[in-house]
Amino acid sequence: MFGSSIRSSERDTTTFGNDLVIDENLDDTSDLRGNMVNSVAVSMSRRLALKVSLQSLYDHQPAFKEIPLLDAPPPGGVKIGTVLDRLDTLDTIFTASLVVGL
């Protein structure tokens, strides 16, 4: 596992951040996962800040999801089994937060 964390402040009101974690399965080296979060926090007052971040999750060997197999097209039809579908290798999550300091 490899990880790094970087913080940088511009003036007294803005903070940039980057967190990176890379995890490799040593039994199967093609099984690699990564998690990176980039963020920006801006102080709006002495006790209030707005923080936005983008998280990227990478999985070289993603899991499978079961999807119902229907006899006829939906909404009718009878479930006759399931099929497997590989999930995406890259997921992204955007968050916005209001941070209150006490």
Side-chain angles (χ1 to χ4, degrees):
M1 182 169 94
F2 169 79
S4 74
S5 182
I6 299 171
R7 297 280 176 264
S8 173
S9 293
E10 296 295 321
R11 301 185 190 164
D12 292 334
T13 59
T14 307
T15 303
F16 300 97
N18 179 286
D19 296 314
L20 174 66
V21 176
I22 297 175
D23 188 18
E24 184 178 23
N25 182 347
L26 296 178
D27 293 330
D28 180 8
T29 56
S30 65
D31 186 11
L32 178 73
R33 295 179 185 178
N35 180 359
M36 183 170 66
V37 179
N38 291 302
S39 63
V40 176
V42 178
S43 296
M44 297 186 297
S45 69
R46 197 168 61 99
R47 296 187 183 255
L48 201 59
L50 179 65
K51 181 178 180 179
V52 293
S53 64
L54 180 66
Q55 181 177 19
S56 300
L57 298 164
Y58 175 79
D59 189 352
H60 187 71
Q61 294 179 349
F64 288 92
K65 175 174 84 172
E66 286 188 4
I67 299 175
L69 181 62
L70 303 178
D71 187 20
V78 177
K79 181 178 173 181
I80 58 173
T82 58
V83 293
L84 295 177
D85 183 34
R86 185 180 289 266
L87 297 173
D88 292 334
T89 56
L90 181 66
D91 295 320
T92 54
I93 302 167
F94 176 80
T95 58
S97 307
L98 190 61
V99 181
V100 178
L102 300 176

